[in-house]
Amino acid sequence: MKEKTSVRTTTPTLRRILVKCGAQAKDYGSCVASKVPAVERDMCSKEFLALRNCMQSVV
């Protein structure tokens, strides 16, 4: 059975992700926003992978 993660544990982790990966999140968000309304799968995969890698390194 999966354990519940407490809010006290999650909040510092999310804070670290936001601080360390803000530039990658901004790049990904800008890429997606520039494609609206014609967003398609994998359009911003380079930016997404950069964000994912950053987030994984923080966690």
Side-chain angles (χ1 to χ4, degrees):
M1 186 189 261
K2 209 173 187 182
E3 287 185 34
K4 276 190 167 184
T5 306
S6 80
V7 173
R8 289 183 181 155
T9 305
T10 304
T11 302
T13 303
L14 290 175
R15 188 174 295 133
R16 281 196 318 272
I17 289 171
L18 290 172
V19 168
K20 297 204 182 262
C21 302
Q24 292 86 345
K26 182 179 178 184
D27 290 344
Y28 178 62
S30 295
C31 180
V32 172
S34 71
K35 310 293 185 196
V36 171
V39 176
E40 293 181 18
R41 183 181 177 132
D42 295 331
M43 273 186 146
C44 299
S45 61
K46 181 181 92 173
E47 292 83 354
F48 173 77
L49 291 174
L51 176 58
R52 185 181 76 177
N53 290 337
C54 181
M55 292 173 76
Q56 287 176 334
S57 72
V58 171
V59 176

